[in-house]
Amino acid sequence: MSAYTLLSDPEQRAVEEAIGKAELRTSGEIRVHIESKCREQVLDHAAYVFTELEMEKTKDRNGVLIYLSADDRKFAIIGDVGINSKVPKDFWEATRDEMLKHFKKGDICEGLCAAIAISGEHLREYFPYESDDVDELPNEISFGK
Ligand code: CA
Ligand code: CA
């Protein structure tokens, strides 16, 4: 499956809107990246994509990447060092579990939107939204091969 066809156009917009909404609660910046196949260990690869997308270029180092490969249905959610230095080790677990619950039912869009909403809610505690917020990273989904 091509990464582009995993989500329909309205679904892609729904994901982007979910990101916009979540970023009104937190200064954290959330991105979604979809590829067709993940050829290495998913966390390692997500970390690579994070750098490729230059997601470390946020003021508070609070970017969050949700990575998903369409064919093998691997996914990962990782945060930048600013987040990792503040949050408990199990910070992403609830988000990952919720995402997996939807993915198992084949609801990719809902899984992503739910994960984005929960991430925003959780991040808010450590990185509250600021009135002079800048949208530091694009909310559009990025696609790889
Ligand atoms: Ca922002
Ligand atoms: Ca953003």
Side-chain angles (χ1 to χ4, degrees):
M1 188 191 287
S2 150
Y4 293 94
T5 52
L6 182 66
L7 299 175
S8 67
D9 287 350
E11 285 177 333
Q12 289 183 27
R13 279 196 299 278
V15 168
E16 287 161 12
E17 275 166 26
I19 294 174
K21 222 169 130 189
E23 289 183 1
L24 289 176
R25 313 192 78 110
T26 174
S27 62
E29 292 283 332
I30 304 169
R31 292 211 71 177
V32 172
H33 182 84
I34 303 175
E35 293 180 340
S36 54
K37 262 195 172 61
C38 176
R39 290 180 179 82
E40 53 185 333
Q41 214 275 329
V42 68
L43 274 174
D44 291 343
H45 188 64
Y48 167 79
V49 170
F50 194 99
T51 313
E52 281 290 290
L53 294 175
E54 303 191 323
M55 287 187 63
E56 74 283 359
K57 291 188 175 164
T58 55
K59 180 168 65 70
D60 295 325
R61 297 296 301 266
N62 57 1
V64 176
L65 173 66
I66 299 177
Y67 170 87
L68 183 63
S69 64
D71 272 350
D72 36 27
R73 295 289 159 98
K74 288 185 195 168
F75 73 96
I77 176 164
I78 57 168
D80 203 352
V81 291
I83 299 174
N84 296 340
S85 67
K86 284 193 177 188
V87 306
K89 268 201 159 13
D90 61 354
F91 186 71
W92 297 115
E93 256 169 46
T95 313
R96 212 170 42 218
D97 290 350
E98 183 67 21
M99 202 157 32
L100 186 61
K101 209 171 81 191
H102 290 283
F103 286 178
K104 276 183 174 161
K105 289 189 281 183
D107 295 333
I108 305 298
C109 180
E110 262 175 61
L112 287 172
C113 290
I116 291 160
I118 298 168
S119 299
E121 199 51 46
H122 285 177
L123 282 170
R124 180 187 196 185
E125 196 182 320
Y126 303 91
F127 300 96
Y129 181 79
E130 286 154 22
S131 55
D132 59 348
D133 182 79
V134 178
D135 188 19
E136 295 174 286
L137 301 174
N139 298 351
E140 285 76 26
I141 298 175
S142 74
F143 294 95
K145 279 178 194 154

